Amino acid sequence: GVMGRTHLFLAAAALAVAACLSGADAGRPTHRGGGKAKEPEPTPTPEPVPEPAAEGEGEGEIMLSSAGPHHGSGALGMPIAGFEPGHEHEHEHEGGEEEDEDAREELEEEEKEVATLKWGIVIGLMCLSVTFLIAHYFESIDFPYLPEAGVAVLLGILASAVFYVLHGEMMLGDMKFDFEFFMIWLLPPIIFEAGYNMNRQAFFANLFPTVLYAFLGTLMSTFIVGGIVWQAGKMGISHPIGGLAALTFGSLISATDPVTVLAVFQALGVKVDLFSMVFGESVMNDAVAIVLSRTLLGFKYVDVSGATIAAAVGLFLKIFIGSLVIGVAFGFLSAYVYKHAGMDHHADSLFVESAMIATFAWGSYYMAEAFELSGIVAILFCGIVMAKYTRDNLSAEAQMLTARQFKVVALLAETFVFVYLGMAAFAFPIWEGTTWKMIGVSMVGCALGRLHIYLFSFITNMLFRREGADLPPISTTYMHVMWFSGLRGGVAFAISAIGYQHNDFPDNDDSKAIMQTTLILAMFTIFLMGGTITDIARATGILEDKNAPKPLGKRRATLKEGSTLGKLHENHLRRVFTRNKSSSEELEYDNEGCRAAAVTIQRHFRANSSSAKEFRKATAKPPKSAMSSTDYKQSLDEETLEQVMKSAGAGSGSAASFEDKVDVLRLKVPGASSDELRKILKECDGDVEQAAREATKSMV
C-alpha cells in the first residue's frame, strides 16, 4: 500500500544520499566542500605593509587581502590606497588571469566528476531494481540455482565491465568498493535489523553454541586458514605471502555472510534451531572478524613477543567489551525511556514511536566509533537488547511497523552490497596477475577452517544437550548444513579492499593478492553454495514440516527460571525496563513476523504465477470453478477465512475436510507448526475448539 511504497522510497533515497556523500569523499580532492572549488593557491609573496597614510587619505577604503586573485584591487576592482597601476601590477594581473583559467578548468573537471558520480548512483539504483525483478521472476518459476545475491553480483559485474571496455576510468573510480561507505551506511542497518528482528527465543536457547562458533570458531579458522596459506607460500605452492599478512587474511576471510542461505532457509521453513545458529554465528562473527583484523594490523609496528601478544589480546577485549557495553547501555536506555514515555497509548505517536528506535540504535554506533571502538558490535548488541526489552514497551502497531521498516532498509542495503561487490570485479585490478594458486589453497583452508562447527557442536552436546535435556542434541545433519553455509561476502571484501587501498602489506603485492583472493572466493561461495543450498535443505530433511518438533514448551525455553540469568531477567531486568506485562516473545511464531510475511507472499506468488495458472486451467473440470480450494483460501483474509470455514462446519467437527480444520486451527494457534496441529487434531478426534485449547496449553 501507500505505507510500503513510502518506506521503499525513503530507503532508496537514503541510500542514494549515502552513496553521494561517500562517493564525494572517496577518491575526491579534499576541496569539495560546500559545492565550491578551492582556488589555486597563489605564489607566496610577502604581505605588503601599507605606509602610514596622510591625515584623511585612504579613509573608508578596503584593506589589502592576499586571498583575492588580483593583488592590489578591492572587491569591486577599485584601486587600493598606496598602490598605483604600473608595469609590475600588469604582470601580476596577467598571472591572475592564468590562475583564473586554471580555476575554471578545475571547476569544470569537478563538475564533470559530480555528474559522473550521479550517473553512477543511477546505475547502482537501476541494478537494484533489476535485481529484485529478476529474483522475483526466478522465485515465480521455482528456479533456486541463481539466488538473489548472485543476480546482484552479476549485474554489478556487467555494469563495471561495460565501463571497463569503454575506458570509463572516472565511472569505474566511483564504482570502487569504499570501506567507509560500507561500514557507515550499508553494514549498520543490516546488523541492527538482524539483532532487532531475530527470533529471541531460539537465539537465546542456542546462545552457547552460537558464541563458541562466533568467537572461538573464528579465532580457530583464522589460524588454520592463515597457517595453510603461509605454509603453501613458503613451500612455493602458491603466492609467497608474509606471516602477518596471512593471519590478517585468515581473520577477514573467516567472516561468514550467509545472506543467501538465510533467505533460502526463510522461504523453505527450515527448523528454527538450525536457522538461529547459522544466523547467530554469521552476525556475531562479522563483528569478531572486523575487530580481530584490526587488532592484528597493530603488529605491523611492533615485534612479536609475549608482551605484544598480551597487549593485542587486551586491545581486542577492550574494543569488543567496550563496544558491547555501549550497545547494551543504549538498548536498556531506550527500554527505560519507552517504558515511561507512554507513547503506545496515543495513536498519533506511532511514527514518532517507531522513528526513535533508530536514534538509539545509531547513537550507540556513533558513540562507539567516537571512542575508537567498534560501532558494528555496539549496534548489534543494542538491537538484541531492544528486541528483548524495548519491543515489549511498544504498541502492537509500532512493533509491526519497526520490524518491517528496518527489514526494508536492510534488504536495500544487503542487496546493494552484492551489486557493489560485483562492481569491484573491474573497478579493482582483480584480473591483473591473479594469484590463482593462492585462491585454490585458500579454498582448502576455508573448508578445513569450518571444521570448528563439528568440534564445538560436540562440546555443546556433551555439556548441555544430553538425554533428557530441554533442547535436543545438535545432529550430524545440522553440523553438515552449518559447515556448508559458510559463505563469504561483503564484510570480508570490505576489509581486504581497505587494506589494498592503504597498501598494508606492500611486500610481494600481498595486499593485492589478498583482495583478489577474497573477491573471487566470495563470488565462488555465493554462486556455488547459494545456488545449491535449496536442494541440500530439501534432501537433508531439515524443514519443519518434515520433522515434527518437540513440544513447544520445551523447545522454547530461553532463560531457565532457576538459573542466575533467568532470575536476573525475571526479577530485575523485566521489572525495571518493561511494564512487567507478558513478553511479546510468547506471541512470536517460529518463523517470526517478517519471515512469516515473506513466506506468505512467496507462496501466494507461486500459487498465482503464470505456470500455476496454466496448470489450474489445464486441470480444471467444468462446471467446477477453475480456482482450487487452496487458492480460494489464500485469496481470503484471516477473518473471512475463519467465517467461511465455520459456516462449512470446520469448527464443529462435522463434514469439513481434515486440512480445512488444520487451516482454522492454524489461525487460532499461529505459533505451532502444521505437523503439531495435525497431531493434536487427531488426538482430539477432529474437534477444532478442543484442539486449539490443547495446542495453546502446549505453548505455555
Side-chain angles (χ1 to χ4, degrees):
V2 176
M3 184 61 65
R5 291 194 295 270
T6 303
H7 288 157
L8 283 171
F9 174 77
L10 291 177
L15 279 177
V17 173
C20 186
L21 289 175
S22 174
D25 293 334
R28 294 278 185 269
T30 56
H31 59 257
R32 187 181 293 171
K36 295 181 179 180
K38 180 179 177 182
E39 294 181 357
E41 295 183 1
T43 305
T45 54
E47 183 176 353
V49 179
E51 297 180 0
E55 186 175 354
E57 183 180 353
E59 289 181 0
E61 296 193 15
I62 302 173
M63 297 296 293
L64 175 65
S65 172
S66 61
H70 302 284
H71 297 291
S73 299
L76 301 177
M78 300 298 293
I80 296 178
F83 288 85
E84 300 295 335
H87 180 72
E88 181 179 352
H89 187 68
E90 290 175 0
H91 178 71
E92 291 179 0
H93 184 70
E94 292 174 1
E97 288 181 348
E98 292 178 0
E99 291 174 356
D100 283 347
E101 183 66 25
D102 292 340
R104 280 193 296 271
E105 291 178 359
E106 186 175 352
L107 181 59
E108 289 175 359
E109 182 68 20
E110 185 173 341
E111 289 175 350
K112 184 179 178 181
E113 290 180 3
V114 172
T116 303
L117 174 63
K118 292 176 180 178
W119 277 112
I121 294 172
V122 170
I123 291 171
L125 293 176
M126 290 302 99
C127 286
L128 275 180
S129 299
V130 176
T131 297
F132 292 137
L133 290 173
I134 294 177
H136 192 57
Y137 173 72
F138 285 163
E139 177 66 29
S140 71
I141 62 175
D142 196 18
F143 182 78
Y145 304 107
L146 185 59
E148 184 176 287
V151 175
V153 170
L154 285 178
L155 288 174
I157 293 174
L158 179 63
S160 62
V162 169
F163 289 100
Y164 180 80
V165 172
L166 298 177
H167 302 287
E169 286 81 6
M170 190 177 294
M171 181 67 77
L172 287 175
D174 291 326
M175 289 181 174
K176 282 190 175 180
F177 200 102
D178 182 75
F179 182 79
E180 296 298 327
F181 176 42
F182 175 78
M183 293 297 294
I184 293 176
W185 298 106
L186 297 180
L187 190 57
I190 298 172
I191 296 294
F192 175 72
E193 188 273 336
Y196 185 78
N197 279 339
M198 70 177 184
N199 187 315
R200 296 173 284 180
Q201 296 145 327
F203 177 80
F204 285 104
N206 295 282
L207 185 60
F208 182 77
T210 300
V211 169
L212 288 182
Y213 301 147
F215 287 85
L216 298 182
T218 303
L219 189 63
M220 181 176 168
S221 176
T222 296
F223 283 94
I224 290 176
V225 177
I228 289 175
V229 171
W230 176 76
Q231 187 62 36
K234 192 176 179 182
M235 295 170 62
I237 298 175
S238 71
H239 175 82
I241 190 171
L244 181 58
L247 278 180
T248 304
F249 171 69
S251 67
L252 66 89
I253 206 66
S254 297
T256 58
D257 187 17
V259 171
T260 298
V261 172
L262 293 180
V264 172
F265 283 2
Q266 287 177 343
L268 295 178
V270 168
K271 284 193 170 185
V272 67
D273 291 336
L274 175 61
F275 183 91
S276 68
M277 286 187 285
V278 174
F279 156 80
E281 182 206 2
S282 66
V283 173
M284 294 180 71
N285 89 341
D286 280 355
V288 173
I290 291 170
V291 177
L292 183 59
S293 62
R294 177 176 168 184
T295 304
L296 286 171
L297 284 175
F299 283 101
K300 283 178 57 181
Y301 311 104
V302 296
D303 295 327
V304 178
S305 63
T308 55
I309 292 175
V313 172
L315 176 63
F316 176 86
L317 294 176
K318 171 194 169 186
I319 294 174
F320 202 93
I321 295 175
S323 305
L324 185 150
V325 169
I326 290 175
V328 170
F330 268 82
F332 279 126
L333 176 62
S334 69
Y336 191 81
V337 168
Y338 274 96
K339 175 184 177 180
H340 295 283
M343 291 185 179
D344 59 342
H345 299 305
H346 305 284
D348 294 339
S349 301
L350 172 62
F351 298 106
V352 175
E353 185 182 7
S354 302
M356 277 180 58
I357 295 289
T359 64
F360 287 102
W362 269 258
S364 69
Y365 176 88
Y366 284 107
M367 177 172 282
E369 291 292 323
F371 281 110
E372 297 184 351
L373 301 174
S374 173
I376 296 301
V377 175
I379 202 170
L380 168 63
F381 284 95
C382 180
I384 292 173
V385 172
M386 293 175 96
K388 190 73 177 174
Y389 298 100
T390 308
R391 218 157 76 181
D392 289 340
N393 293 328
L394 300 177
S395 63
E397 294 81 2
Q399 289 183 22
M400 184 177 296
L401 178 58
T402 53
R404 292 179 178 178
Q405 72 183 16
F406 290 124
K407 181 62 180 177
V408 168
V409 176
L411 176 63
L412 284 167
E414 67 192 19
T415 307
F416 190 76
V417 166
F418 290 111
V419 173
Y420 213 18
L421 205 62
M423 288 178 173
F426 289 96
F428 286 96
I430 302 299
W431 315 110
E432 299 175 7
T434 308
T435 54
W436 293 106
K437 291 182 179 179
M438 180 175 169
I439 293 168
V441 170
S442 300
M443 288 181 182
V444 176
C446 289
L448 295 176
R450 290 289 295 171
L451 293 178
H452 68 79
I453 293 292
Y454 297 91
L455 172 63
F456 295 124
S457 297
F458 175 76
I459 292 174
T460 301
N461 290 342
M462 290 293 294
L463 295 179
F464 299 104
R465 303 200 177 188
R466 291 179 177 272
E467 227 178 290
D470 289 339
L471 291 168
I474 301 172
S475 67
T476 307
T477 302
Y478 275 23
M479 298 179 199
H480 294 336
V481 174
M482 284 189 286
W483 176 86
F484 190 80
S485 301
L487 278 73
R488 272 61 179 178
V491 172
F493 185 71
I495 301 173
S496 68
I498 191 65
Y500 170 74
Q501 291 168 345
H502 290 171
N503 200 17
D504 288 334
F505 304 105
D507 297 341
N508 297 324
D509 273 343
D510 284 351
S511 294
K512 179 181 175 182
I514 289 172
M515 180 193 64
Q516 291 174 336
T517 304
T518 303
L519 181 61
I520 294 175
L521 273 178
M523 291 183 178
F524 175 80
T525 57
I526 288 169
F527 289 115
L528 178 67
M529 298 180 178
T532 57
I533 191 63
T534 299
D535 290 339
I536 290 175
R538 289 170 176 167
T540 52
I542 58 174
L543 307 183
E544 282 284 7
D545 56 349
K546 292 184 179 180
N547 294 279
K550 289 189 175 182
L552 292 174
K554 290 185 178 181
R555 292 179 76 243
R556 292 190 160 237
T558 57
L559 296 174
K560 294 181 180 179
E561 293 183 1
S563 66
T564 303
L565 286 177
K567 290 178 180 177
L568 177 65
H569 169 69
E570 291 295 336
N571 299 335
H572 300 286
L573 295 180
R574 282 201 61 78
R575 293 185 179 182
V576 173
F577 295 106
T578 68
R579 298 189 182 91
N580 208 27
K581 61 184 178 182
S582 60
S583 172
S584 60
E585 291 179 48
E586 299 172 3
L587 304 176
E588 288 180 345
Y589 308 167
D590 279 349
N591 288 338
E592 285 293 318
C594 289
R595 181 183 167 203
V599 172
T600 301
I601 292 169
Q602 289 172 344
R603 289 175 179 170
H604 176 77
F605 186 79
R606 283 178 180 173
N608 291 279
S609 63
S610 57
S611 58
K613 288 178 179 177
E614 289 176 4
F615 176 79
R616 289 196 296 270
K617 184 178 179 180
T619 56
K621 296 180 180 180
K624 292 183 178 180
S625 172
M627 180 177 283
S628 66
S629 60
T630 301
D631 300 324
Y632 177 67
K633 286 185 286 185
Q634 287 179 344
S635 67
L636 302 177
D637 57 57
E638 293 183 1
E639 184 178 355
T640 306
L641 176 60
E642 187 171 4
Q643 291 174 355
V644 170
M645 291 298 167
K646 285 184 177 181
S647 65
S652 59
S654 64
S657 72
F658 184 79
E659 289 301 320
D660 286 341
K661 295 178 182 180
V662 173
D663 287 336
V664 174
L665 192 56
R666 189 180 292 111
L667 296 176
K668 295 178 177 292
V669 191
S673 68
S674 298
D675 284 346
E676 287 176 327
L677 296 178
R678 291 188 184 96
K679 181 180 177 182
I680 295 173
L681 191 58
K682 287 179 182 178
E683 293 173 352
C684 297
D685 297 326
D687 190 327
V688 175
E689 297 300 331
Q690 183 181 351
R693 290 193 294 270
E694 293 298 326
T696 304
K697 288 179 183 178
S698 68
M699 296 180 62
V700 178

